[in-house]
Amino acid sequence: MAKIAFILLCHKDPDAIVKQAQSLTAVGDYIAIHFDARAPAHAYQAIRAALADNPNVAFARKRIKCGWGEWSLVRATLLAVEAAVDAFPRATHFYMLSGDCMAIKSAEYAHDFLDRREVDYIESFDYFHSDWIKTGWKEERLIYRHWFNERTQKRAFYAMFEVQKRLGLTRPIPEDLEIMIGSQWWCLRRRTVEAVLEFTRTRRDVMRFFATTWIPDETFFQTVVRHLVPETEIDSRTLTFLMFTDYGMPVVFYNDHYDLLLSQDALFARKISPEASDLKRRLGVLYASEGARFQISDEGRSLFKFLTQKGRIGRRFAPRFWETESTLGRERELLIVVCKKWHVAKRLLERIRQVTNVPCIEYLFNEDTTPLPDLGGIQSTMAKRHRHRRALMRMLFDYFESDRLIVCMDPSNLDLLEDFCRDRATTRVLEVQCQFSDSYLVGHAMRVGLAGDRTPQETLNRLLPTIRNDMLHESDRIRDAEFDNLLTMRESDSPEANADPLARFLGVAHDKAKEIADTDYLFAD
């Protein structure tokens, strides 16, 4: 059975560290602690005194002053790992933690999980070819030497960088290493940890190299483990659930996140708020429990992205530079069907196509698989369709040799609607308003990744009102835009009532519009 030695890097809140250590070791696991040398000595002594009688606790032989982005973080980790390897010969796995982490599964579940597969869990992505680094320096982290802390010694940090850059003082990357990158929160097997420690003793060249790289805690273990361990024995993921905001700050979890955290496919979570006392209490009880069952839905990141995007949706009034002086053509008519239920809009378009022979295209700005003619590559990707939207529409008018064209759009595409409705061409918009049952909203949440087959009902109950309100908000935004030619069909209205806006939208006789509105199962889910 797995026995875990936790590697804890911490720098504050001695009481919380003591409680964390007591909770993790109460079930028979171990912990090795490195307490930042920048923290007060009396705080460190308080921790040592409180845990002195606990045989499952060890301390790094030396305290290092740690700084963000520095080699000191890796050095502190190695010291704690050495202490754990020496003190706990029965430990099978070594799990990296911070003082802000807490278990979100029971110890029983965690041991079971680690016993299932003989692998190391560490994010390990190709440094140069992956998109792990979204912005900022990439190669510069490695080929230049960094002796100063970017946050506390900014002037010296950038001055040394500029000097090296001007003089061409770059350095080679060790030839036999493939540099990897990933999260610093890993879980490694004992033989892997021992191999890493042996590597640090024999490869002083590599140690010197990483000692002056920038943010080496994201590259050192990730690179060395990949160098020493076969790829088949590495699961490139972290077992610690963490998220970041658009500003690069870690998302903090509070008391009301308990159910969400338990449903994630991870063993620990970071960061737990110091004020979330109830969450800490419940998670502590959970870790020591037996027989707990977990429904893993793993929708946390998609939920966070969905919810935090609300309220940041801007409106753009100036045309993009490539659209200046462009138009679809004054003599042309673009008819846009806007509907959240795509299957309803597709049924409507199929019936319009049969009755009117007007060229119809489904969700070309929402679905990659929408059938489109070959237009020289401008239609090949969704990004190109959005970027060259007016050019794309002009080419479609030309392709169909028609001055009338019907397309479908999702209500979220307000920027597209505003662009096209400002065009010199005649643009009419038909919003098809549907009713959304709870079962439909659940299916929608699963289709877009906000929920899964195992998402707890309690999570769905909290999520559904947000999704419903989001859809209503999209419809409100369309009405608030005050488009000149906006018409509305409603699922709640009769075919006779819907025939009138449909006739004005298509420019056809009322009886022909009534024939379309009478389509069987038009609004059926």
Side-chain angles (χ1 to χ4, degrees):
M1 180 178 175
K3 299 279 284 185
I4 307 172
F6 294 102
I7 308 301
L8 179 64
L9 294 194
C10 48
H11 64 281
K12 61 180 180 179
D13 202 349
D15 291 340
I17 292 168
V18 170
K19 290 177 182 177
Q20 186 179 24
Q22 289 171 338
S23 173
L24 295 175
T25 58
V27 294
D29 287 324
Y30 313 103
I31 190 167
I33 300 173
H34 177 276
F35 193 67
D36 197 331
R38 296 184 190 276
H42 66 81
Y44 178 61
Q45 293 305 323
I47 296 172
R48 294 209 66 143
L51 299 173
D53 296 331
N54 192 329
N56 288 8
V57 176
F59 290 87
R61 61 179 171 81
K62 183 180 180 181
R63 293 172 63 205
I64 301 296
K65 290 183 178 180
C66 296
W68 185 87
E70 292 181 5
W71 171 250
S72 55
L73 286 173
V74 178
R75 191 177 171 206
T77 303
L78 289 171
L79 287 170
V81 168
E82 289 173 356
V85 168
D86 292 340
F88 312 125
R90 295 181 60 200
T92 61
H93 293 77
F94 295 76
Y95 196 121
M96 181 82 175
L97 288 177
S98 77
D100 297 319
C101 296
M102 282 203 73
I104 56 174
K105 299 292 187 295
S106 64
E108 180 183 61
Y109 180 95
H111 295 151
D112 238 13
F113 182 94
L114 295 177
D115 279 334
R116 282 180 222 157
R117 299 176 61 199
E118 188 61 26
V119 295
D120 296 304
Y121 294 93
I122 181 170
E123 278 191 349
S124 182
F125 302 106
D126 187 283
Y127 186 91
F128 294 102
H129 297 108
S130 72
D131 63 347
W132 206 88
I133 298 176
K134 302 295 184 185
T135 59
W137 285 356
K138 199 168 200 175
E139 187 180 39
E140 293 88 345
R141 290 193 191 187
L142 305 175
I143 63 173
Y144 296 107
R145 297 166 179 84
H146 304 279
W147 292 282
F148 299 98
N149 186 293
E150 193 268 345
R151 291 190 174 180
T152 61
Q153 301 163 295
K154 191 176 291 287
R155 183 174 296 179
F157 178 88
Y158 286 106
M160 288 304 300
F161 167 73
E162 290 297 335
V163 167
Q164 293 178 80
K165 188 176 177 182
R166 284 196 200 120
L167 298 177
L169 300 177
T170 60
R171 61 176 177 176
I173 296 169
E175 290 184 1
D176 60 330
L177 291 186
E178 181 181 1
I179 304 299
M180 311 299 286
I181 191 168
S183 167
Q184 71 183 104
W185 311 110
W186 40 253
C187 178
L188 304 177
R189 296 167 297 172
R190 185 179 194 90
R191 68 167 175 264
T192 301
V193 164
E194 290 173 344
V196 169
L197 292 178
E198 178 61 23
F199 183 89
T200 65
R201 289 188 284 267
T202 57
R203 291 296 302 271
R204 306 312 299 176
D205 60 321
V206 174
M207 301 299 282
R208 285 192 297 272
F209 173 80
F210 279 106
T212 51
T213 59
W214 188 41
I215 320 182
D217 54 306
E218 293 179 351
T219 54
F220 176 76
F221 286 98
Q222 297 76 2
T223 299
V224 174
V225 170
R226 180 71 70 166
H227 181 72
L228 298 173
V229 178
E231 185 176 359
T232 54
E233 296 182 24
I234 296 176
D235 190 338
S236 185
R237 57 171 290 198
T238 174
L239 296 181
T240 298
F241 178 64
L242 68 162
M243 297 189 294
F244 290 90
T245 68
D246 290 347
Y247 304 100
M249 301 300 292
V251 174
V252 179
F253 300 109
Y254 296 92
N255 289 334
D256 55 352
H257 287 122
Y258 180 79
D259 292 327
L260 172 72
L261 292 177
L262 264 58
S263 65
Q264 303 314 303
D265 189 15
L267 303 183
F268 281 74
R270 183 178 187 273
K271 297 180 137 188
I272 307 298
S273 169
E275 286 79 37
S277 54
D278 188 54
L279 176 60
K280 290 183 175 182
R281 178 189 61 78
R282 296 177 73 185
L283 291 177
V285 171
L286 175 70
Y287 191 69
S289 66
E290 294 182 359
R293 295 291 177 264
F294 301 91
Q295 288 194 333
I296 308 300
S297 51
D298 209 27
E299 75 287 349
R301 289 182 178 86
S302 56
L303 271 176
F304 178 76
K305 182 179 179 182
F306 169 72
L307 293 172
T308 54
Q309 281 177 342
K310 306 302 113 184
R312 291 209 305 270
I313 301 173
R315 301 174 76 177
R316 179 171 61 81
F317 295 97
R320 301 185 190 274
F321 72 89
W322 58 78
E323 294 168 348
T324 304
E325 300 302 323
S326 68
T327 179
L328 304 182
R330 292 180 183 274
E331 72 286 357
R332 286 171 168 167
E333 290 184 20
L334 177 62
L335 310 180
I336 305 175
V337 175
V338 177
C339 184
K340 195 65 181 181
K341 290 187 177 180
W342 293 4
H343 60 280
V344 172
K346 290 177 181 180
R347 286 188 199 132
L348 181 63
L349 248 66
E350 180 58 30
R351 189 64 179 138
I352 290 173
R353 188 183 290 115
Q354 294 170 357
V355 174
T356 67
N357 289 321
V358 177
C360 299
I361 302 175
E362 295 173 358
Y363 287 86
L364 74 164
F365 293 108
N366 302 100
E367 283 189 306
D368 285 309
T369 55
T370 298
L372 289 172
D374 185 354
L375 302 174
I378 195 173
Q379 84 295 340
S380 59
T381 68
M382 194 61 66
K384 286 185 178 180
R385 296 180 202 176
H386 280 258
R387 187 162 61 246
H388 307 297
R389 58 190 69 170
R390 293 191 183 183
L392 173 65
M393 299 307 294
R394 287 199 304 272
M395 295 175 76
L396 287 171
F397 276 110
D398 293 340
Y399 176 83
F400 288 109
E401 298 180 348
S402 171
D403 288 335
R404 304 185 78 208
L405 183 65
I406 304 176
V407 299
C408 287
M409 289 188 194
D410 190 89
S412 62
N413 297 136
L414 185 62
D415 61 331
L416 294 174
L417 292 173
E418 288 176 331
D419 272 355
F420 289 130
C421 286
R422 284 199 309 269
D423 195 87
R424 297 170 191 165
T426 299
T427 304
R428 289 197 287 275
V429 179
L430 177 67
E431 184 187 7
V432 183
Q433 294 184 356
C434 301
Q435 297 174 336
F436 303 106
S437 65
D438 284 354
S439 59
Y440 172 82
L441 293 178
V442 170
H444 174 76
M446 291 183 177
R447 286 190 293 274
V448 300
L450 296 177
D453 294 335
R454 298 183 178 182
T455 299
Q457 188 60 44
E458 295 80 4
T459 301
L460 290 174
N461 291 342
R462 289 196 298 271
L463 179 61
L464 294 189
T466 303
I467 298 177
R468 190 186 301 278
N469 290 336
D470 184 61
M471 292 180 175
L472 294 175
H473 176 65
E474 289 177 348
S475 182
D476 287 342
R477 291 173 68 219
I478 291 173
R479 289 197 294 276
D480 291 343
E482 298 181 347
F483 297 129
D484 290 337
N485 298 305
L486 175 63
L487 301 154
T488 305
M489 278 181 65
R490 296 181 178 85
E491 181 177 355
S492 56
D493 290 349
S494 65
E496 179 67 33
N498 282 329
D500 181 52
L502 193 55
R504 285 187 284 155
F505 174 70
L506 295 172
V508 298
H510 187 275
D511 58 340
K512 189 168 285 192
K514 173 70 163 49
E515 182 183 348
I516 297 171
D518 267 329
T519 301
D520 289 339
Y521 309 111
L522 178 60
F523 291 99
D525 290 333

